[in-house]
Amino acid sequence: MEALVHEKNSASTQLFVERTSPDKPIHPGMPNLEPVEKPISFFEFWPGYIFYIPVAFQWLWQSIRWRGVGLPLIANPSIPLGGMVGESKSDIFSRASGEAKARIAPWALLDGWEDADQAASRAQRLFKHAGLSLPLVAKPDIGCRGAGVQLIRSKDELVRYINKFPSDGKILFQQLVPYEAEAGIFYIRYPGTENGEIISITLKYQPYVIGNGKSTLKELIIDDPRAGKLTHLYLPRHQDQLDTVLPKGQPFRLAFTGSHSRGCIFRDGRKFITPELTRAFDRLCDDLPEFYYGRFDIRFKDIQSLMKGEDYYILEINGASSEAAHIWDCRGSLADAFKTLFFQYQTLFKLGAINRHRGFPSPPLGELIKAWRKEKKLVSRYPETE
């Protein structure tokens, strides 16, 4: 087992990971993270306003073709705006029943407070009622790309997190599950059909550097083939520990959140899609009313269990704005990334057209803009991401 040792400091709440044996795998349950010639593809970290220009043009074309600019917003009729922006994680969780509800990692929601200490006491009562215990994962109920996600290990950290969180927002607390292996499962099903399709598995590897007994953390980050190209992510996050010299063989986790934009390493795992896994998600989505398109972020025991559709917990359910995140595998090409995205948005419009025919009206784009502004305002005030 690994021990999590918190390096306490007035300005830092980062995670120091200590293992009893350097020989233990850093990514238990995951396929080996194979070395690559180029650890970052040339387009991986392009600004979104540049990368998604072709997608915006495709949206316009599909709007003309299907005669409805807002059709993607009813791809998942049970989720406001289909899950394109501003969706509530807890609202989606609350709609789950049966198999889907059982697979969601236990959670509790905190909202409406003025004093952080009082809110922390109320949160602890919520934890007890929901059967939660520290350590917990704290995340914004409305947010994206890992913004504001932190691991809470103590009451002091709980108070600090709440104190930094906007009081007009909502915090989702979720049990830290016993598995470390993480993936994104992208699933599509058409209304009226019994079976869907998993079009993507993205394996998520938390980034580490390994101590050599001589170099500081800063030197290890700078010298690492991949982390050295992402110093703008890692150095500010660990600024209070950069002068620490790690013992030989000691792993140090650079990011906790399984988000590519926060530094997590993504690998294409489509070869692990099996009929058993697809059937498991068919059953799961039977218990998510009017859900047809999106990505399930999960943690699982090991890749063999996952291929059987067993031993996993759901961390998040993402709707219309989801990506088949294997496009961020550094081994992929830009052409393949756009091919995947174009397929996704074509599917969104097709689903929207089917649901329009079923009687679901498309919301005006003004609602999308309003939700986007609300989310953007909240995200700008969230605590730092771990």
Side-chain angles (χ1 to χ4, degrees):
M1 296 291 290
E2 71 177 31
L4 301 181
V5 182
H6 182 213
E7 297 272 320
K8 293 190 177 179
N9 171 301
S10 61
S12 174
T13 59
Q14 300 304 323
L15 187 66
F16 187 75
V17 180
E18 182 177 9
R19 294 176 181 273
T20 55
S21 171
D23 297 329
K24 289 190 175 182
I26 292 180
H27 302 109
M30 297 282 277
N32 290 333
L33 182 59
E34 298 175 353
V36 292
E37 183 178 351
K38 294 182 179 180
I40 295 178
S41 70
F42 75 97
F43 63 89
E44 266 192 83
F45 292 94
W46 282 4
Y49 63 86
I50 293 177
F51 183 81
Y52 292 102
I53 288 175
V55 176
F57 280 110
Q58 193 210 18
W59 186 304
L60 292 175
W61 161 241
Q62 294 292 336
S63 299
I64 297 170
R65 177 188 177 190
W66 294 98
R67 299 180 181 179
V69 68
L71 288 178
L73 308 183
I74 53 172
N76 297 310
S78 64
I79 305 175
L81 302 175
M84 182 61 70
V85 67
E87 70 272 23
S88 162
K89 297 178 177 65
S90 62
D91 181 62
I92 297 174
F93 286 170
S94 296
R95 296 173 186 270
S97 62
E99 175 79 4
K101 184 176 181 179
R103 289 291 183 182
I104 296 171
W107 59 278
L109 185 70
L110 177 70
D111 66 346
W113 69 87
E114 294 183 0
D115 179 80
D117 288 300
Q118 293 179 356
S121 297
R122 180 155 62 91
Q124 290 181 306
R125 292 193 294 272
L126 290 172
F127 300 163
K128 185 176 181 180
H129 179 74
L132 307 181
S133 60
L134 296 174
L136 295 170
V137 178
K139 64 179 75 173
D141 187 47
I142 296 176
C144 60
R145 300 185 182 276
V149 177
Q150 288 190 14
L151 185 61
I152 305 299
R153 312 164 189 81
S154 66
K155 183 178 179 181
D156 288 343
E157 289 187 350
L158 176 63
V159 172
R160 283 199 295 270
Y161 184 85
I162 295 173
N163 196 47
K164 293 180 180 180
F165 202 92
S167 58
D168 55 338
K170 299 179 182 180
I171 304 174
L172 183 74
F173 294 99
Q174 200 165 35
Q175 188 64 59
L176 182 66
V177 303
Y179 307 140
E180 291 191 43
E182 191 166 346
I185 309 289
F186 204 104
Y187 179 89
I188 295 173
R189 176 194 272 181
Y190 286 97
T193 63
E194 294 184 0
N195 305 112
E197 180 183 6
I198 294 175
I199 66 164
S200 171
I201 292 182
T202 304
L203 300 173
K204 303 181 178 184
Y205 294 83
Q206 294 175 345
Y208 287 84
V209 290
I210 308 298
N212 57 18
K214 300 176 182 179
S215 300
T216 64
L217 175 60
K218 181 177 181 179
E219 291 169 337
L220 292 171
I221 292 173
I222 292 174
D223 292 341
D224 185 84
R226 183 176 186 275
K229 298 180 183 297
L230 299 175
T231 55
H232 63 289
L233 295 176
Y234 300 137
L235 294 184
R237 185 178 299 161
H238 303 290
Q239 58 182 322
D240 299 304
Q241 300 176 66
L242 294 178
D243 293 330
T244 301
V245 176
L246 302 183
K248 187 175 181 179
Q250 174 70 65
F252 187 97
R253 183 162 59 191
L254 299 175
F256 169 73
T257 305
S259 172
H260 176 264
S261 63
R262 307 292 173 175
C264 191
I265 303 169
F266 283 11
R267 288 289 185 267
D268 186 348
R270 285 178 291 177
K271 67 181 181 181
F272 299 109
I273 298 173
T274 63
E276 293 84 359
L277 179 60
T278 301
R279 285 195 293 269
F281 272 79
D282 284 338
R283 295 191 299 270
L284 186 92
C285 290
D286 286 342
D287 296 322
L288 287 171
E290 299 290 349
F291 181 89
Y292 303 108
Y293 176 104
R295 190 186 70 239
F296 295 81
D297 292 332
I298 67 169
R299 283 198 170 192
F300 58 95
K301 181 179 179 181
D302 54 55
I303 195 63
Q304 291 77 23
S305 296
L306 181 62
M307 292 170 69
K308 297 176 184 177
E310 301 172 349
D311 299 324
Y312 68 91
Y313 290 93
I314 297 171
L315 308 180
E316 289 191 13
I317 303 173
N318 307 281
S321 64
S322 305
E323 289 177 338
H326 71 265
I327 65 173
W328 301 117
D329 186 330
C330 64
R331 301 169 298 181
S333 70
L334 183 60
D336 286 339
F338 280 125
K339 181 180 179 181
T340 298
L341 289 174
F342 290 159
F343 168 77
Q344 287 188 225
Y345 279 86
Q346 180 181 353
T347 303
L348 276 173
F349 273 90
K350 185 176 180 180
L351 282 168
I354 292 172
N355 287 328
R356 178 177 60 186
H357 182 73
R358 297 173 64 218
F360 294 99
S362 298
L365 288 184
E367 290 188 20
L368 179 69
I369 296 172
K370 182 179 179 181
W372 175 76
R373 287 175 175 171
K374 177 183 178 181
E375 181 179 285
K376 184 179 180 182
K377 182 180 178 181
L378 284 170
V379 168
S380 68
R381 295 182 291 147
Y382 288 154
E384 63 274 11
T385 299
E386 186 169 313

